[in-house]
Amino acid sequence: MEEGKVIDEALQGQATMVEGKKENSKKLFLESYGCQMNFSDSEVVASILAENGFDTTNNSEEADLVLINTCSIRENAEQRVRNRLKQYNKRKKQNPSLMIGVLGCMAERLKQKFLEEEKLVDIVAGPDAYRALPGLIEEVEGGQKAVNVLLSREETYADIAPVRLDKKGVTGFISIMRGCDNMCSFCVVPFTRGRERSRDPESIVKEATEIFEAGYREVTLLGQNVDSYRWNVSKKGEIIDPEKPTVNFAQLMEMVAQVNPDLRVRFSTSHPKDMTDDVLEVIAKYENICNYIHLPVQSGNSDVLKRMNRGYTREWYMDRIAAINRIIPDCSISTDIITGFCGETEEEHQDTLSLMEEVKFQFSYMFFYSERPKTLAERKFEDDIPLETKKRRLQEVIDLQHKLSNEFNKNEVGKVQRVLIEGFSKKSEDDYVGRNSGNVSVIFPKEDAKPGDYVDVEITDYTPGSLLGKIVKS
Ligand code: SAH
Ligand code: SF4
Ligand code: F3S
């Protein structure tokens, strides 16, 4: 059985093509794995290297440099990358001048070890070291191996205009913060991404304005815990520079929503312990902030949540769900779930299923627990749930989610929804696919509309993964 199949898409490597300066003579093949943050970082990397001699190519055969932006979140995410590296290493044997680099979370986690384990890797650069890439490449061209895995307390790449790698040109991502200070006991991210830091709000609004002017119609604001975004305020709540304004996440969203009413705003990820009503009120106030919240619960049992060090109980989570339903009627909610965490009993697992039924999630990313080196859970608890049990529980969670998604989508039939067209559907060039405000894919005959347009679609049918419909003329 595959680990929750819904995550497959997020983990697919994605190759990308960009043209930089006219005089660029070398080719970069960039492949990204992991979360949206990694895809967004790859756009920063492409931008830095476009200024330093490299155009990107979508044909790895013609590359002078292959960079793999990696993820460490679960063991199988790392395994995938190791397999890819083996393939590139074979190619390097035939073409010794090919440079191979590893970026992102796995680079940060394994550091120097990467050079010892994977002998044919030339460059190892952690998530805060991308400005150093041109120098690292020079070292390699001079015949050495090059590593930079320094984490920073300040780096946000705020001044770098990312090269948009998604060629469709309708939806884009903007990183608003980096790192994470939460220390959930199962999670490797605080070790691979370093301390939490927020990005200058002016640079965020500028990027949102530029992306809108370039024809994009949707931005997703990214952070591991967007609700703890804060500018000019210390962690203790003190104002840092009295001359300057302070900005929290609710205020930042408002600033981005005001860029243009035709620019949709999404965000990810919210943390149940920090998501406040003022954020929900801003979502309700602005038509162009989507009625969709990704609120990872991880488990429906308070003891498991305590062992996970998540900072909330089941009751607290349900209170946040009640607040969403009260303040934003018609908001769709998705989540992340881990099955088989250390010590999880059958009753505790049942609590996850019952919470799912209570909330009626529209969608979930579902995983079985994978122990990660150095994390609190690895040091404190035994990874004692047998793999078959973890997988059986995961399958129960997947089956229930399938049923809930079906019910949710069935409920949408007959409604007319505003959809932003993203492009052709996977199956046919006669149909378009876009998403409604609740982040559900909607497929419909294209008629005379075009990608980037908003259309009103009447929902006529559904599958567990998408809604089907037809454009209604106003
Ligand atoms: N910052 C986000 C999550 C980032 S990681 C948050 O706090 O919600 C994305 C998801 O991967 C997590 O929500 C969790 O469900 C899953 N995950 C993280 N570490 C994991 C591990 N060791 N084993 C299995 N799943 C894990
Ligand atoms: Fe990991 Fe928790 Fe931070 Fe999310 S909030 S990135 S799960 S430590
Ligand atoms: Fe993976 Fe790093 Fe993102 S571990 S999920 S790429 S922050």
Side-chain angles (χ1 to χ4, degrees), residues 7 38 41 49 150 158 167 171 176 184-185 195 206 252 257 270 280 291 303 398 432 443 464:
I7 64 163
N38 250 16
D41 280 2
L49 291 183
L150 290 176
K167 286 282 146 189
T171 62
I176 62 164
C184 301
S185 64
R195 300 304 298 267
K206 181 165 169 273
L252 177 72
S270 305
L280 303 178
N291 288 354
D303 291 336
I398 291 173
Y432 278 142
I443 298 165

Side-chain angles (χ1 to χ4, degrees), residues 1 4 13 34 46 57 113 145 156 176 181 225 264 288 292 297 337 379 391 416 433-434 450 454 462:
M1 182 178 58
T57 169
K113 250 201 243 162
K145 304 272 180 191
T156 59
I176 62 164
D181 282 352
N225 176 0
R264 267 188 175 176
N288 58 328
Y292 168 63
V297 66
I337 290 169
R379 285 179 282 142
K391 286 185 170 180
V416 174
V433 64
K450 58 182 191 311
Y454 288 100
Y462 65 97

Side-chain angles (χ1 to χ4, degrees), residues 73 353 364 457 460:
I73 201 82
L353 297 172
S364 298
V457 177
T460 52

Side-chain angles (χ1 to χ4, degrees), residues 1-13:
M1 182 178 58
E2 259 286 308
E3 192 175 0
K5 54 181 178 296
V6 285
I7 64 163
D8 275 356
E9 203 172 344
L11 288 173
Q12 285 297 329

